[in-house]
Amino acid sequence: MAPTQTQHHYPYDLSVVLPVYNEVDNIGLVHDELADVLGGLDLRYEIIYVDDGSRDGTTARIIELCEAHPDVVRGVLLRRNFGQTAAIQAGIDHANGAVIALMDADLQNDPHDIPLMLDQMDTEGYDLVSGWRKNRQDKALSRKLPSHIANGLIARVTGVHLHDYGCTLKTYRREVLDHVRLYGEMHRFIPVLANAAGARIVERVVNHRARIHGKSKYGLWRTIKVVLDLMTVKFLTSYNTRPMYIFGGAGFILSMFSGLSVLVMLLSGIFAGDILWNSPWPIFAGIFAALAGQSILMGLMMEMLMRTYYESQGKGPYAIRQVINAHKHVATPVVETMIDAAG
């Protein structure tokens, strides 16, 4: 595989990040197989193991690998178990490659898929290649069914149609991840966040193997958390620069309900002779009016918060893929850009 045009800007061509939690029986086998695959590529690479507070001897094995292979192996040891998303973010923050590959450390992801994904990025110009475990080797009821439901819901809500959001095995150009910060269970939403930044995404069928050692850390509760995070992602990708659209829109609808309540109240008084203080309609009108005012005020506050968010970080609500024949010393004021984008 030939290095991409952007790889010369980084110390390594490829960083492979593996979040690890209680995989003492797998970590050595994963490393041997991964190192054998990467060793056959004409690339400068590094392998980053992020220990997410393991308590079964995994930490010691990672330290041994770092000491045995100081040129290519990095260890990031977290103070406690923060979760897979936090571990992935820690690995990304410490990666120095032009391309970052993510994979699990439980031997279910096949390292031999990585060169194929890298070739597809190079030859077809994609920024993100997402693995699809089409022949998934997991329990149907506890793993496959919840995952299938979650994948369908995410695709429908976000408009980014992938079959397998839960597959950790993915390859990214580094500049795509520069626009992404991960919280909660949002590592599975990286394609959605990357798509919002203009990334070119493709899905590729990858080999999925049955777990041999250890036990899965996933459960049904995790699916519920994914659905809750989906709400956050939808807001971040659709309304992050225009929060007034959603809050103001809700306020407008509530104000219509308030007006409708007043109309019904008046018609009831005229045609039915109802006494107003014996009718629930004044209460409905007041409640809807109060909620409408709160929604609009919340939208205004969110507009101010989003401006503060962008301006405090010196960033605008857009991502540039390339500037051709750029003039030197030309900068676009972030404040003006933010105001224009938000309307």
Side-chain angles (χ1 to χ4, degrees):
M1 171 190 158
T4 62
Q5 293 180 353
T6 58
Q7 287 179 335
H8 65 275
H9 296 299
Y10 299 89
Y12 297 95
D13 299 318
L14 174 67
S15 297
V16 182
V17 175
L18 299 91
V20 187
Y21 179 61
N22 290 345
E23 298 288 359
V24 65
D25 295 323
N26 291 323
I27 191 70
L29 298 174
V30 168
H31 178 78
D32 291 342
E33 186 176 13
L34 181 59
D36 182 64
V37 171
L38 298 181
L41 302 178
D42 184 21
L43 293 175
R44 300 164 298 162
Y45 68 88
E46 62 176 352
I47 304 173
I48 301 175
Y49 296 104
V50 183
D51 178 46
D52 189 22
S54 298
R55 298 183 178 182
D56 66 343
T58 298
T59 306
R61 289 292 292 119
I62 291 176
I63 293 174
E64 291 174 4
L65 289 172
C66 291
E67 293 174 346
H69 311 281
D71 294 335
V72 295
V73 179
R74 314 274 180 266
V76 179
L77 312 181
L78 304 187
R79 291 183 178 273
R80 63 173 178 83
N81 179 237
F82 288 92
Q84 187 177 10
T85 297
I88 288 175
Q89 184 64 67
I92 292 172
D93 290 341
H94 288 80
N96 297 289
V99 173
I100 297 178
L102 301 181
M103 64 176 291
D104 287 326
D106 56 8
L107 284 174
Q108 291 194 268
N109 289 152
D110 189 346
H112 292 86
D113 283 312
I114 293 179
L116 302 177
M117 299 170 85
L118 296 177
D119 284 339
Q120 190 166 6
M121 292 179 73
D122 273 350
T123 57
E124 301 178 26
Y126 289 105
D127 301 308
L128 193 165
V129 179
S130 182
W132 173 14
R133 299 165 296 181
K134 190 172 184 179
N135 186 25
R136 186 171 176 178
Q137 304 299 310
D138 283 319
K139 295 180 179 179
L141 186 61
S142 62
R143 296 292 303 279
K144 287 185 178 181
L145 180 60
S147 179
H148 179 73
I149 294 173
N151 288 327
L153 181 61
I154 295 170
R156 179 175 293 273
V157 171
T158 64
V160 181
H161 297 282
L162 299 178
H163 293 87
D164 192 358
Y165 277 91
C167 182
T168 303
L169 184 57
K170 294 179 174 67
T171 56
Y172 309 82
R173 294 193 192 278
R174 179 57 194 251
E175 49 269 33
V176 169
L177 294 176
D178 288 340
H179 297 280
V180 173
R181 297 299 297 179
L182 304 176
Y183 304 92
E185 296 287 335
M186 288 193 180
H187 65 276
R188 70 186 65 246
F189 295 110
I190 297 179
V192 179
L193 300 173
N195 178 73
R200 292 163 292 190
I201 302 172
V202 69
E203 193 169 34
R204 181 185 183 91
V205 175
V206 296
N207 183 32
H208 190 245
R209 305 180 292 199
R211 176 181 274 273
I212 300 175
H213 303 291
K215 61 181 181 178
S216 172
K217 284 77 175 177
Y218 298 88
L220 292 177
W221 170 241
R222 189 160 188 160
T223 302
I224 298 175
K225 293 192 290 184
V226 168
V227 173
L228 296 175
D229 278 333
L230 177 59
M231 301 178 188
T232 302
V233 170
K234 179 60 177 177
F235 176 79
L236 291 176
T237 55
S238 299
Y239 302 102
N240 65 330
T241 61
R242 47 189 178 179
M244 178 54 89
Y245 286 10
I246 185 170
F247 291 103
F252 178 75
I253 294 173
L254 289 167
S255 65
M256 290 181 62
F257 281 131
S258 177
L260 183 61
S261 299
V262 172
L263 179 62
V264 172
M265 178 181 64
L266 294 175
L267 293 176
S268 298
I270 295 172
F271 296 103
D274 290 343
I275 302 174
L276 293 182
W277 52 81
N278 290 333
S279 170
W281 293 109
I283 298 176
F284 290 157
I287 291 175
F288 286 133
L291 292 176
Q294 288 180 346
S295 294
I296 293 173
L297 289 175
M298 189 175 297
L300 292 171
M301 288 189 291
M302 288 298 298
E303 288 283 340
M304 296 176 66
L305 286 174
M306 294 311 296
R307 282 163 169 72
T308 302
Y309 167 77
Y310 281 105
E311 294 165 18
S312 65
Q313 299 183 71
K315 59 191 290 188
Y318 56 80
I320 297 174
R321 185 185 307 280
Q322 184 181 9
V323 177
I324 302 174
N325 295 335
H327 297 287
K328 296 182 178 179
H329 310 299
V330 175
T332 302
V334 175
V335 176
E336 295 181 5
T337 304
M338 183 61 214
I339 293 174
D340 291 341

